[in-house]
Amino acid sequence: MSATADRYREPHPPDSAPQRLLLLCPSTRLVREAVAAGFAVRVLADASLPPHPPDDDVPAGIPVDLVDLADEAALSEAIEVSVRAHGTQRLLAFAGTAALPAVATTAARLGVTPNPVDAARLLGEPAAMRALLNGSRHSYVPAARARTAQELPAAVEEIGAPVTVRTLPPSAEISALCDEPPGERSYLVEQYLEGPEYGVVTLTVDGMHRVVGVVALHGAWHPSSHLFPAPLGERDEAEARAIATELLDLAGYEFGYAYTVVVLTADGPRVVRSRADYPDEPLASLIELATGFGAEAELVQALSGKPVNVPTADGYAAVASYRLPVGRLLSVSGLEAVSELPGVHRVHFPYASGDDIPGHGGGAEGYVLLSAESTQEAAETVASAGRLLRAEVSRRPDHI
């Protein structure tokens, strides 16, 4: 081989690293990072979703298989085929798929994940997470389970108002264990936790949890905005970090990102929810904007056996969110003016004039992504964006 050819040869991960990856529902950016690092990549995508636009498609030549995520047998078979026929050595699951029973059990049975079979479920399923924490006396929160809607009043009375009620995902296995009627939705009733919420982002490699950062969520810094890094005191931040990593230890989590929401109550930190994944947009962009941290690149670095870089923020980044009232959008103004404000990087407005705005949490949320040198500067930009953006919504009954 000539010196020139050798110089442009594709890089390869070390022999000790898993070189053949199956990525389940990954971002295109992650696929590109893994390919650039020399991994042999296959993609397993959700058949129910539309294909990526041409400018956001996976690199040419990367095999992409479609599967119905709701069909457990088909999903398990697709993973097994990738392992046995194509030599997959590691499965990485994204977009909430890590906790799917077919994914967790098949990956564990075939030895293509370092995580225990129940790790993602223990993090992401509210009743399982609460039982895990309460059983260990870490982040104890009084909780009761209502098997049906008819049992909710008794569960609320048992815990005592005020409470938080969470609808649990259907599970045939859990329904059988708890003697739940088929098709019924069950509920977790927890004591209401009063205090500011913070999101703790971690990357775990070989069971070692590294905190990427802590985000101040709605209400912790501003009623309608997130801020990164969270302006926390040293003690409060240490407590939030500690309770998040303790949960990961309890779940036996060995590899991957996790996102854990913690409430700082008067009685100490309490975990509200968690999942085995990186936070969704716009929080993902918030962290990258403040630190330059590329989540996909760092995950690939970890897979390659290289040290994980813990990011340092050069300033602050904020997301100002807004949700329109239910009705029909008649007009909107100020979007261009908001985009021209100092520090604004993105204005996301998901509706056009004439669109119906659904209620009951069914509507998409708009946001403004911005950077600032101080929390005061960020707050001023958030306030300016709120003054400039104007939307007229019809509340007529036939538009609701």
Side-chain angles (χ1 to χ4, degrees), residues 16 18 21 26 33 73 108 121-122 131 146 155 175 195 202 211 240 254 273 322 387:
S16 59
L21 305 180
E33 290 284 356
R121 182 184 66 84
L122 290 172
S175 295
T202 52
V211 176
E254 287 289 320
R273 59 187 179 275
Y322 51 87
R387 288 192 297 267

Side-chain angles (χ1 to χ4, degrees), residues 52-119:
H52 289 287
D55 60 345
D56 190 37
D57 205 357
V58 299
I62 299 301
V64 178
D65 301 315
L66 301 179
V67 66
D68 180 359
L69 296 181
D71 186 336
E72 292 194 358
L75 183 52
S76 179
E77 181 182 3
I79 295 171
E80 186 147 359
V81 167
S82 180
V83 173
R84 301 201 185 282
H86 304 294
T88 288
Q89 297 167 293
R90 176 68 61 86
L91 166 69
L92 296 178
F94 304 93
T97 59
L100 293 176
V103 175
T105 56
T106 306
R109 175 170 55 84
L110 297 174
V112 291
T113 174
N115 290 317
V117 65
D118 281 338

Side-chain angles (χ1 to χ4, degrees), residues 336-349:
E336 184 175 351
V338 171
S339 68
E340 294 173 351
L341 288 171
V344 169
H345 293 258
R346 184 190 307 161
V347 178
H348 174 70
F349 192 83

